[in-house]
């Protein structure tokens, strides 16, 4: 060990500070306690609510089927000091001090799980986004029959919001910069196959938004789409501003290896904020999926407890979405130039999509094919015939 390096976390006394109060943070704390870390744990969360789950926000909460989505997280039982409504504002890795808007905290090991923030478009009009429970409850109130709702972005958030807005009797327009819906994630051919799903929505593809103004959505072509509600669903970005000057290596997220280690010993990053090394793509990737944030805790906790040994976390990526009455599930990671096979039912509706490269299955998409997911997950990375 060289000067300045820390030993493995002292299980008895080591103070773990977790920044962020979402899924990755909640899971990490649970795993640390299960792995017999008995020292103090402090969770610093900018939100005023205890950890909750986000996927239901754009599904059951928005549709009115439920009002919240708490995660199993009992701070008292876990013996965790949770500082809600507290934002990390800076980090000094030399002295191991986390700066927050409620004072400084010193740590022995630090986990950063601060998620990501929705991207907004230019303009002075009101843009609704969907990241927090408060966002979902506020938007739900505005999805009333006859409301003119313009959704910007025809991807997962856009598709799920359009689903609920249609069901609520709104007049829904969706504006998408790409040529097809879902094309950013699934490519143009799969995206084109989903067009029938958007029935009832005025879908404006290949259309750029210039700005959102009080009188509506201004398109780059000069047209204005009047709107009572504008929902911007054009992606999220980790907020890294508070880490400036900390010495942590960042790109689009915090750069970590497959054991969630940042370039600074004793500091891990996990969940949506982490740009993790993946051998599946041979690159550092932002993996903004529930499955990643949930499953990564085990490896992150092992790394905190022993910096030099432990398991890697690099599973086959998985996400799902519920859009227009269908469940989409995607496993793997395809590249734009992978070969694509579309499987349709007798009426021509998309049932499955398979991406391959040199005969190897790189990704699988199923529509209402939940029973096939486990098999697909095992098959990705092997010969495509394994799926037969
Ligand atoms: P988050 O859950 O975002 O938690 C981060 C926490 O850190 C937040 O509480 C935030 O307030 C806090 N924080 C941020 N900055 C600071 C700071 N400086 N100081 C202190 N605290 C801070 N994935 C799927 O696979 N399928 C789905 O169907 C799906 N649906 C989704 C629907 C919605 C509406 C959303 C928003 C996400 C959805 N996801 C889905 C993605 C999935 O929920 C995320 O990948 C997951 O929540 C990421 O967890 P996280 O803990 O990394 O980040």
């Amino acid at each position: 060990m060289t000067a300045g390096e820390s030993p493995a976390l002292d299980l008895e006394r080591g103070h773990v500070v977790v920044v962020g109060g979402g899924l990755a943070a909640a899971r990490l704390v649970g795993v640390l306690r299960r792995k017999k870390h008995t020292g103090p744990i402090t969770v610093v969360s900018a939100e005023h609510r205890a950890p909750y789950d986000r996927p239901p926000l754009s599904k059951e909460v928005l549709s009115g089927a439920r009002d919240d989505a708490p995660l199993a997280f009992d701070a008292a039982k876990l013996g965790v000091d949770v500082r809600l409504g507290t934002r990390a504002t800076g980090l000094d890795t030399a002295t191991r001090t986390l700066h927050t808007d409620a004072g400084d905290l010193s740590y022995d090991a630090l986990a950063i799980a601060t998620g990501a923030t929705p991207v907004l478009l230019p303009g002075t009009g009101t843009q609704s986004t969907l990241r927090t429970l408060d966002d979902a409850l506020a938007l739900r109130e505005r999805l009333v029959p006859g409301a003119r709702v313009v959704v910007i972005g025809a991807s997962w958030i856009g598709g799920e919001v359009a689903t609920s807005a249609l069901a609520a009797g709104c007049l829904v327009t969706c504006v998408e910069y790409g040529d097809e819906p879902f094309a950013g994630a699934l490519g143009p051919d799969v995206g084109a196959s989903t067009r029938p799903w958007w029935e009832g929505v005025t879908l404006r593809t290949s259309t750029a938004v210039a700005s959102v103004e009080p009188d509506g959505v201004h398109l780059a072509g000069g047209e204005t789409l009047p709107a009572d509600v504008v929902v911007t669903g054009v992606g999220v970005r980790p907020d890294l501003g508070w880490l400036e000057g900390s010495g942590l290596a960042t790109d689009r997220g915090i750069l970590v290896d497959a054991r969630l280690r940042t370039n600074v010993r004793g500091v891990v990053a996990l969940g949506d904020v982490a740009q993790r090394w993946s051998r599946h793509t041979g690159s550092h990737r932002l993996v903004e999926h529930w499955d990643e944030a949930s499953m990564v805790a085990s490896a992150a906790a092992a790394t905190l407890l022993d910096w030099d040994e432990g398991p890697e976390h690099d599973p086959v990526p998985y996400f799902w979405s519920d859009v227009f009455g269908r469940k989409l599930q995607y496993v793997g990671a395809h590249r734009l130039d992978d070969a694509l096979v579309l499987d349709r039912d007798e009426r021509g509706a998309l049932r499955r999509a398979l991406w391959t490269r040199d005969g190897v299955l790189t990704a699988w998409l199923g529509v209402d094919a939940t029973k096939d997911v486990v098999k697909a997950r095992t098959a990705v990375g092997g010969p495509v015939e394994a799926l037969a």
Side-chain angles (χ1 to χ4, degrees), residues 48-380:
H48 291 270
R49 298 176 186 273
Y52 56 85
D53 217 7
R54 292 186 203 278
L57 303 183
S58 49
K59 304 172 183 68
E60 295 92 330
V61 174
L62 203 55
S63 71
R66 57 195 282 193
D67 295 327
D68 60 11
L71 283 170
F73 181 83
D74 186 333
K77 215 165 153 187
L78 290 162
V80 179
D81 178 4
V82 181
R83 313 262 178 103
L84 294 179
T86 305
R87 183 170 286 277
T89 52
L91 177 64
D92 184 339
T93 53
T95 60
R96 295 199 185 162
T97 307
L98 179 76
H99 305 301
T100 81
D101 57 8
D104 289 352
L105 275 170
S106 50
Y107 62 84
D108 296 300
L110 183 75
I112 303 176
T114 45
T117 309
V119 173
L120 286 174
L121 294 169
T124 58
T126 304
Q127 300 177 51
S128 295
T129 54
L130 197 40
R131 187 74 195 177
T132 67
L133 180 55
D134 290 333
D135 293 341
L137 294 173
L139 179 58
R140 186 170 89 182
E141 291 300 307
R142 303 180 68 206
L143 298 184
V144 294
R148 295 164 304 173
V149 176
V150 176
V151 179
I152 306 174
S155 195
W156 310 121
I157 292 290
E160 292 186 355
V161 169
T163 301
S164 283
L166 270 188
C170 303
L171 306 171
V172 186
T173 300
C174 184
V175 184
E176 165 59 43
Y177 180 76
D179 294 343
E180 300 292 346
F182 303 120
L186 302 177
D189 295 332
V190 177
S193 302
T194 73
R195 278 189 177 264
W197 304 357
W198 295 78
E199 189 185 347
V201 175
T202 305
L203 183 59
R204 305 272 307 255
T205 51
S206 312
T207 304
V209 170
S211 66
V212 179
E213 305 297 346
D215 63 342
V217 175
H218 290 210
L219 303 181
E223 190 184 350
T224 296
L225 303 177
D228 301 306
V229 182
V230 177
V231 184
T232 303
V234 296
V236 295
R237 197 173 286 154
D239 174 10
L240 306 174
W242 67 278
L243 292 168
E244 257 171 46
S246 68
L248 281 197
T250 61
D251 178 21
R252 288 180 297 136
I254 301 174
L255 292 169
V256 294
D257 67 10
R259 296 188 53 222
L260 300 318
R261 296 181 293 195
T262 66
N263 61 315
V264 175
R265 199 173 170 88
V267 182
V268 300
L270 60 158
D272 282 7
V273 75
Q275 197 175 338
R276 174 176 63 73
W277 173 257
S278 169
R279 74 189 144 78
H280 294 294
T281 52
S283 61
H284 282 91
R285 294 187 69 206
L286 287 166
V287 189
E288 296 153 345
H289 307 322
W290 185 94
D291 198 60
E292 167 77 11
S294 176
M295 306 301 281
V296 71
S298 185
T303 295
L304 286 174
L305 296 171
D306 186 343
W307 192 253
D308 299 306
E309 297 292 333
E312 295 199 338
H313 171 84
D314 193 11
V316 173
Y318 166 75
F319 69 84
W320 81 96
S321 178
D322 296 335
V323 280
F324 306 115
R326 295 162 177 86
K327 181 170 285 294
L328 256 74
Q329 290 167 294
Y330 176 99
V331 179
H334 71 272
R335 292 191 224 154
L336 282 178
D337 55 348
D338 285 355
L340 171 66
V341 177
L342 297 179
D343 172 26
R344 302 179 187 278
D345 68 15
E346 56 286 352
R347 284 172 300 169
L350 179 67
R351 203 158 50 180
R352 292 193 312 171
L354 307 180
W355 287 264
T356 63
R357 174 173 285 260
D358 302 327
V360 171
L361 184 69
T362 52
W364 175 94
L365 173 82
V367 182
D368 292 331
T370 309
K371 62 178 177 25
D372 298 331
V373 173
V374 174
K375 196 172 173 189
R377 228 168 164 156
T378 319
V380 166

